[in-house]
Amino acid sequence: MNKDRRKQIDEVHGQIQDLIATEEGIQSEEQNAFDSMPEGLQESERGQAASEASDDLTEACDHLNSALGSLDSAMGEI
């Protein structure tokens, strides 16, 4: 891998790290909103939607972290 492509991958790596930080903040807010709901509301359709959104955001972060690992591997294999 040449220097220019390595630099591009490094820039993408940084962008993904920024996305992860943003995504984790949103996920934390969503989880806190769910946790702050009374138990009856947590069990409602609205509460379940908030819980599922939090879970989906966690999964998105996991995928972004996986992408970072793939980028690291690509840069380390050359």
Side-chain angles (χ1 to χ4, degrees):
M1 179 175 301
N2 70 22
K3 183 178 173 182
D4 290 335
R5 284 190 294 274
R6 194 175 293 275
K7 182 179 178 188
Q8 288 175 329
I9 290 174
D10 191 49
E11 289 173 7
V12 169
H13 196 282
Q15 292 169 351
I16 293 173
Q17 286 177 316
D18 291 344
L19 287 172
I20 290 170
T22 300
E23 192 78 22
E24 287 175 339
I26 295 167
Q27 187 279 332
S28 179
E29 290 175 16
E30 190 66 26
Q31 185 63 49
N32 288 338
F34 175 78
D35 292 342
S36 296
M37 291 178 181
E39 187 175 327
L41 189 55
Q42 285 180 349
E43 295 173 3
S44 72
E45 187 174 318
R46 180 177 172 202
Q48 290 305 304
S51 179
E52 288 174 16
S54 178
D55 291 345
D56 290 342
L57 291 166
T58 298
E59 185 176 347
C61 284
D62 291 344
H63 289 296
L64 289 170
N65 278 307
S66 178
L68 287 179
S70 295
L71 290 174
D72 289 341
S73 292
M75 286 181 42
E77 291 177 3
I78 304 297

Short mmCIF file of all heavy atoms in Angstrom, two decimals, residues 1 6 9 23 25 28 30-31 36 38-39 42 49-50 53-54 58-59 61 65 67 72 75:
data_model
loop_
_atom_site.label_atom_id
_atom_site.label_comp_id
_atom_site.label_asym_id
_atom_site.label_seq_id
_atom_site.Cartn_x
_atom_site.Cartn_y
_atom_site.Cartn_z
N MET A 1 0.85 -1.17 0.00
CA MET A 1 0.00 0.00 0.00
C MET A 1 0.89 1.23 0.00
O MET A 1 1.81 1.33 0.81
CB MET A 1 -0.90 -0.01 1.24
CG MET A 1 -1.80 1.17 1.33
SD MET A 1 -2.96 1.09 2.70
CE MET A 1 -3.85 -0.39 2.32
N ARG A 6 -2.50 4.89 2.27
CA ARG A 6 -2.39 4.72 3.72
C ARG A 6 -2.91 5.97 4.43
O ARG A 6 -3.63 5.89 5.43
CB ARG A 6 -0.94 4.43 4.10
CG ARG A 6 -0.77 3.91 5.51
CD ARG A 6 0.68 3.54 5.78
NE ARG A 6 1.11 2.40 4.99
CZ ARG A 6 0.93 1.12 5.33
NH1 ARG A 6 0.30 0.83 6.44
NH2 ARG A 6 1.37 0.15 4.58
N ILE A 9 -6.72 6.05 4.22
CA ILE A 9 -7.32 5.10 5.18
C ILE A 9 -7.23 5.67 6.59
O ILE A 9 -8.16 5.56 7.37
CB ILE A 9 -6.65 3.72 5.08
CG1 ILE A 9 -7.05 3.05 3.77
CG2 ILE A 9 -7.04 2.84 6.27
CD1 ILE A 9 -6.33 1.75 3.50
N GLU A 23 -22.13 8.46 18.00
CA GLU A 23 -23.12 7.39 18.12
C GLU A 23 -23.25 6.92 19.58
O GLU A 23 -24.35 6.68 20.07
CB GLU A 23 -22.70 6.22 17.23
CG GLU A 23 -23.74 5.17 17.03
CD GLU A 23 -24.78 5.58 16.03
OE1 GLU A 23 -24.53 6.45 15.19
OE2 GLU A 23 -25.88 5.02 16.11
N GLY A 25 -22.69 8.68 22.23
CA GLY A 25 -23.38 9.73 22.97
C GLY A 25 -24.89 9.65 22.77
O GLY A 25 -25.67 9.76 23.73
N SER A 28 -26.26 6.57 24.58
CA SER A 28 -26.31 6.81 26.02
C SER A 28 -27.53 7.67 26.39
O SER A 28 -28.23 7.39 27.37
CB SER A 28 -25.03 7.49 26.48
OG SER A 28 -25.07 7.74 27.86
N GLU A 30 -30.31 7.91 24.67
CA GLU A 30 -31.51 7.11 24.46
C GLU A 30 -31.72 6.13 25.61
O GLU A 30 -32.83 5.94 26.10
CB GLU A 30 -31.42 6.36 23.12
CG GLU A 30 -32.70 5.69 22.69
CD GLU A 30 -33.82 6.67 22.37
OE1 GLU A 30 -33.53 7.83 22.00
OE2 GLU A 30 -34.99 6.28 22.49
N GLN A 31 -30.62 5.50 26.07
CA GLN A 31 -30.72 4.57 27.19
C GLN A 31 -31.14 5.29 28.46
O GLN A 31 -31.97 4.80 29.21
CB GLN A 31 -29.39 3.83 27.39
CG GLN A 31 -29.45 2.75 28.46
CD GLN A 31 -30.42 1.62 28.10
OE1 GLN A 31 -30.38 1.10 27.00
NE2 GLN A 31 -31.29 1.27 29.03
N SER A 36 -35.16 6.51 32.56
CA SER A 36 -35.87 7.53 33.33
C SER A 36 -37.39 7.37 33.25
O SER A 36 -38.11 8.01 34.01
CB SER A 36 -35.49 8.92 32.82
OG SER A 36 -34.11 9.16 33.04
N PRO A 38 -41.04 5.80 33.81
CA PRO A 38 -41.67 4.93 34.80
C PRO A 38 -41.81 3.52 34.21
O PRO A 38 -41.89 3.36 32.98
CB PRO A 38 -43.04 5.56 35.03
CG PRO A 38 -42.95 6.94 34.48
CD PRO A 38 -41.89 6.93 33.44
N GLU A 39 -41.84 2.54 35.06
CA GLU A 39 -41.89 1.15 34.60
C GLU A 39 -43.05 0.90 33.65
O GLU A 39 -42.91 0.21 32.64
CB GLU A 39 -41.98 0.19 35.79
CG GLU A 39 -41.86 -1.26 35.39
CD GLU A 39 -41.83 -2.18 36.59
OE1 GLU A 39 -41.30 -1.79 37.65
OE2 GLU A 39 -42.35 -3.31 36.45
N GLN A 42 -42.11 2.17 30.32
CA GLN A 42 -41.07 1.33 29.71
C GLN A 42 -41.69 0.14 28.99
O GLN A 42 -41.18 -0.31 27.98
CB GLN A 42 -40.08 0.84 30.77
CG GLN A 42 -39.12 1.88 31.24
CD GLN A 42 -38.16 1.35 32.30
OE1 GLN A 42 -38.33 0.24 32.82
NE2 GLN A 42 -37.15 2.13 32.63
N ALA A 49 -39.98 0.94 21.96
CA ALA A 49 -39.31 1.56 20.80
C ALA A 49 -38.00 2.22 21.24
O ALA A 49 -36.98 2.12 20.54
CB ALA A 49 -40.23 2.57 20.14
N ALA A 50 -38.00 2.87 22.39
CA ALA A 50 -36.79 3.50 22.91
C ALA A 50 -35.73 2.45 23.24
O ALA A 50 -34.54 2.63 22.95
CB ALA A 50 -37.11 4.34 24.15
N ALA A 53 -34.33 1.13 19.99
CA ALA A 53 -33.45 2.13 19.38
C ALA A 53 -32.08 2.11 20.05
O ALA A 53 -31.05 2.16 19.38
CB ALA A 53 -34.08 3.51 19.46
N SER A 54 -32.07 2.01 21.37
CA SER A 54 -30.81 1.94 22.11
C SER A 54 -30.02 0.70 21.70
O SER A 54 -28.81 0.78 21.46
CB SER A 54 -31.08 1.93 23.61
OG SER A 54 -29.89 1.82 24.34
N THR A 58 -26.37 0.56 19.73
CA THR A 58 -25.24 -0.23 20.23
C THR A 58 -24.70 -1.14 19.14
O THR A 58 -23.48 -1.24 18.94
CB THR A 58 -25.66 -1.06 21.46
OG1 THR A 58 -26.06 -0.17 22.50
CG2 THR A 58 -24.54 -1.95 21.95
N GLU A 59 -25.61 -1.76 18.40
CA GLU A 59 -25.19 -2.63 17.29
C GLU A 59 -24.47 -1.84 16.21
O GLU A 59 -23.47 -2.30 15.65
CB GLU A 59 -26.41 -3.34 16.70
CG GLU A 59 -26.05 -4.36 15.64
CD GLU A 59 -27.26 -5.12 15.12
OE1 GLU A 59 -28.35 -5.07 15.73
OE2 GLU A 59 -27.11 -5.78 14.09
N CYS A 61 -22.67 0.83 16.66
CA CYS A 61 -21.31 1.09 17.19
C CYS A 61 -20.43 -0.14 17.04
O CYS A 61 -19.25 -0.03 16.69
CB CYS A 61 -21.38 1.52 18.65
SG CYS A 61 -21.92 3.22 18.89
N ASN A 65 -16.95 -0.28 14.99
CA ASN A 65 -15.70 -0.77 15.59
C ASN A 65 -15.11 -1.91 14.77
O ASN A 65 -13.89 -2.01 14.64
CB ASN A 65 -15.93 -1.20 17.04
CG ASN A 65 -15.91 -0.04 17.99
OD1 ASN A 65 -14.97 0.74 18.02
ND2 ASN A 65 -16.95 0.10 18.79
N ALA A 67 -15.43 -2.17 11.56
CA ALA A 67 -14.84 -1.52 10.39
C ALA A 67 -13.46 -0.96 10.72
O ALA A 67 -12.54 -1.07 9.91
CB ALA A 67 -15.76 -0.39 9.90
N ASP A 72 -7.55 -1.35 10.20
CA ASP A 72 -6.27 -1.61 10.85
C ASP A 72 -5.58 -2.82 10.22
O ASP A 72 -4.37 -2.79 9.96
CB ASP A 72 -6.45 -1.83 12.35
CG ASP A 72 -6.82 -0.57 13.10
OD1 ASP A 72 -6.60 0.54 12.57
OD2 ASP A 72 -7.34 -0.70 14.23
N MET A 75 -4.19 -2.00 6.74
CA MET A 75 -2.95 -1.21 6.78
C MET A 75 -1.78 -2.03 7.32
O MET A 75 -0.64 -1.81 6.92
CB MET A 75 -3.16 0.03 7.65
CG MET A 75 -4.01 1.06 6.94
SD MET A 75 -4.31 2.60 7.84
CE MET A 75 -2.78 3.00 8.59
#
